[in-house]
Amino acid sequence: MTSRITRVTRIATVIATCALSLGALAAGVGTAAAAPSATAAGAGTPSPRAAVDARAAAVDRCRYQVVRSDDSRYVYSVSGVVGGSTREFPVQQEDFVRISDTWFKVAQVDTCAGGQSQAPATLRVTGKLDRPEHYDPSVPRTIRSDALRPASSSVIPKAPRLTAVDRVDAATVRVSWEAAQGSPDQVIVLERKPFYSSELGLWHPYTFRWNAPDGATSMDRKLQRDPGVPAGIRSHSYWMRVVKDGFVSDLRAERPTTVEP
């Protein structure tokens, strides 16, 4: 059992390292950006943040998007003031996103959970130090954002519809999408496919984020066809996301298109 736990820990560490190094990869039509992992981001930072940099907006009546800075030493929650009392909201979906060359964590929370129908007046992000016994007493045990007054749903950009994933040749597909509306700051093609860890000698699924050039409506991507890829993780998936004015398109509306290599 001990050896199995050790192996799982090593796998997590290697995947974290891969996540940071893959940002250097680039393909002619776009730039690949790899999100920092929870174990790598902020690790060893000598000066902890005094607060959380965050913003919020309504996605619809029951869902709110919170975009926040991330220090992986902390476990985060989102709460809100509803009818004079404070409630914590369950997270429905979350992911990392790069905005102006800085990684943020995007979370969408359900404010109608438990039959609640009243919209929150304000939201707040709270981070609790994970395993505080491992840190010097000078490291804050709790960090918070300011009280956030959610912006209207009009600030949430809409991702273009992915229209096709067509075969160009045996090892290449062309991902096509509708022209983006509303002049987003960035259009992103997300690609999930097998990635090989040379240190551990194994394949695992990994999500790449490719920034599409301005005005582009297609991008060619190479399929991973190595015969060593296990049958259960050979499929490739593609979907779209956009960023505008610090907010991200609806994460729960993302519908990946999957193809076999």
Side-chain angles (χ1 to χ4, degrees):
M1 175 64 75
T2 302
S3 62
R4 182 179 179 184
I5 293 173
T6 301
R7 179 173 175 82
V8 170
T9 302
R10 291 183 64 232
I11 291 172
T13 301
V14 169
I15 291 175
T17 302
C18 291
L20 291 174
S21 62
L22 284 171
L25 294 175
V29 293
T31 302
S37 74
T39 57
T45 304
S47 300
R49 295 184 181 91
V52 181
D53 177 14
R55 64 196 73 112
V59 178
D60 54 31
R61 189 180 68 84
C62 289
R63 291 180 295 168
Y64 286 73
Q65 183 178 111
V66 178
V67 182
R68 62 164 172 81
S69 56
D70 188 71
D71 183 331
S72 67
R73 295 172 298 177
Y74 294 85
V75 176
Y76 295 86
S77 62
V78 178
S79 60
V81 177
V82 180
S85 61
T86 300
R87 299 175 60 240
E88 185 174 322
F89 302 122
V91 174
Q92 296 179 313
Q93 197 92 2
E94 61 181 354
D95 201 0
F96 283 100
V97 65
R98 191 165 187 143
I99 302 173
S100 299
D101 295 327
T102 300
W103 285 106
F104 289 86
K105 194 67 172 287
V106 180
Q108 288 186 193
V109 299
D110 181 5
T111 63
C112 292
Q116 175 64 44
S117 60
Q118 187 175 351
T122 60
L123 298 173
R124 186 186 298 274
V125 178
T126 301
K128 299 285 188 181
L129 187 64
D130 190 23
R131 295 177 295 179
E133 68 277 9
H134 295 172
Y135 295 92
D136 186 270
S138 64
V139 177
R141 270 41 188 170
T142 303
I143 56 176
R144 294 183 177 87
S145 70
D146 293 331
L148 309 172
R149 291 197 175 275
S152 71
S153 59
S154 63
V155 306
I156 301 295
K158 186 175 178 60
R161 186 174 66 91
L162 193 153
T163 56
V165 179
D166 299 316
R167 298 269 179 172
V168 176
D169 54 42
T172 310
V173 293
R174 179 162 296 153
V175 182
S176 301
W177 58 90
E178 294 178 339
Q181 303 298 311
S183 302
D185 299 327
Q186 188 62 64
V187 176
I188 302 163
V189 179
L190 291 107
E191 173 188 46
R192 189 161 181 83
K193 67 178 183 178
F195 176 77
Y196 184 71
S197 166
S198 58
E199 179 177 339
L200 294 177
L202 57 78
W203 293 89
H204 61 85
Y206 188 84
T207 300
F208 294 83
R209 293 157 172 82
W210 300 94
N211 293 340
D214 290 344
T217 56
S218 68
M219 176 182 291
D220 288 359
R221 300 299 316 134
K222 290 294 183 181
L223 298 172
Q224 180 50 260
R225 296 168 57 83
D226 191 292
V229 177
I233 65 168
R234 287 179 185 166
S235 62
H236 293 51
S237 297
Y238 303 89
W239 64 102
M240 306 300 296
R241 182 178 293 170
V242 299
V243 175
K244 183 175 182 180
D245 296 334
F247 290 100
V248 186
S249 49
D250 184 355
L251 299 185
R252 295 199 70 196
E254 296 175 347
R255 298 288 183 266
T257 296
T258 300
V259 298
E260 296 300 322

